[in-house]
Amino acid sequence: QVQLVESGGGLVQAGGSLRLSCAASGRTFSNYNMGWFRQAPEKEREFVAAITWSGGNTYYADSVKGRFTISRDAAKNTVYLQMNSLKPEDTAAYYCATNVYGLGRDPKTYGSWGQGTQVTVSS
């Protein structure tokens, strides 16, 4: 299985920016679609963004469109989530995951998951 490790989370002011990274093990990284999800305390895990293995197509939740950008670097086996204009409601643990089927928003369709990185946005 693919192993994923997220990093880049932290505490930022509203309106600030962070870039999350998800490092994947193995040499088949570019063959997987990748997604970012987030989960706040006492809430369900929700979809944030996804990208095809080629990087040619992306998909975003309405709540982050225009603010977040997902990208990947196959040579580095890494997927990124650039988060700009952060809002307090973006506060959550962020997880990356693999999806061999597509760019769906249902977390049940995703396979390997990282351990998460915490993003906290103060008002």
Side-chain angles (χ1 to χ4, degrees):
Q1 61 179 352
V2 177
Q3 294 184 334
L4 307 173
V5 179
E6 301 96 335
S7 62
L11 174 63
V12 299
Q13 296 274 335
S17 298
L18 284 173
R19 188 172 82 154
L20 306 184
S21 298
C22 174
S25 64
R27 61 181 181 178
T28 61
F29 176 76
S30 63
N31 293 328
Y32 289 90
N33 302 309
M34 299 293 299
W36 284 97
F37 290 77
R38 65 188 182 187
Q39 187 168 23
E42 301 182 356
K43 293 185 178 180
E44 296 296 315
R45 187 165 297 187
E46 64 176 343
F47 172 79
V48 176
I51 188 169
T52 58
W53 67 267
S54 67
N57 293 97
T58 57
Y59 177 50
Y60 297 92
D62 289 342
S63 60
V64 306
K65 284 182 179 178
R67 299 189 299 121
F68 291 10
T69 302
I70 187 171
S71 62
R72 70 190 301 162
D73 186 336
K76 297 181 179 180
N77 288 328
T78 302
V79 62
Y80 304 96
L81 184 68
Q82 178 66 47
M83 305 185 296
N84 299 325
S85 302
L86 284 163
K87 305 174 181 179
E89 51 262 45
D90 295 319
T91 295
Y94 282 71
Y95 302 85
C96 63
T98 62
N99 189 334
V100 301
Y101 303 108
L103 303 181
R105 62 173 58 242
D106 186 351
K108 294 185 180 68
T109 65
Y110 287 76
S112 298
W113 292 82
Q115 293 301 303
T117 185
Q118 180 67 38
V119 172
T120 302
V121 184
S122 62
S123 59

